[in-house]
Amino acid sequence: METGTAGTAGPAGARVEPVWTGLPRGLLKMRRLLLVAWLVPLAAAVGVLLGLFAGPAWAAFALLPLALVAWGWPMLGRNWRSWRYAERDDDLLISRGVLWREETVVPYGRMQLVEVTSGPVERHFGLASVQLHTAAAATDARIPGLLPEEAERLRDRLTELGEARSAGL
């Protein structure tokens, strides 16, 4: 993972690309495990129930959840690779999406609250999410699946920068 801060302008006004940070691989592992944990037992239940009550030919419908696993496995990988964030001098960039690319720019001075959350499944995989709240509810942003240390570092840095930027308003 690359981390760091990049400005928006370099020498002689040349535009500097932000330094992007991807999400930890643990998020992909967690999502794939959840996919399998939900759909494989569903396939087994559908196969057994339809086989018992409707006949063996109907039990073939149990293949549908397994087809979703086969389709969802690579899709989760593509989605995981599409998530990234970059800390710049004046704002935080969050980029995500495979088909519809979405890039969110959150100015530090507009941040009102930065939360770190971790549900039971995230905690089991050693992950946490950072939720950014701004004055406009439509611009709230989230970075899922970070390592807890990175989530706390990001929260502290964003809070510090937010306080410094809002003081100058």
Side-chain angles (χ1 to χ4, degrees), residues 48-126:
V48 169
L49 292 174
L50 287 177
L52 289 175
F53 297 113
W58 288 95
F61 279 104
L63 295 175
L64 290 175
L66 296 179
L68 282 174
V69 170
W71 175 79
W73 191 273
M75 291 301 110
L76 286 173
R78 289 182 66 192
N79 179 270
W80 169 75
R81 282 188 299 276
S82 75
W83 277 86
R84 58 191 187 154
Y85 65 95
E87 301 170 59
R88 297 195 303 183
D89 291 337
D90 297 317
D91 50 35
L92 177 73
L93 298 176
I94 303 171
S95 180
R96 64 195 169 281
V98 177
L99 292 177
W100 285 273
R101 197 106 185 107
E102 186 174 328
E103 192 166 284
T104 304
V105 179
V106 184
Y108 296 133
R110 304 291 291 169
M111 291 182 200
Q112 292 183 331
L113 175 68
V114 181
E115 289 181 300
V116 174
T117 60
S118 185
V121 177
E122 283 180 311
R123 277 194 309 275
H124 177 76
F125 282 88

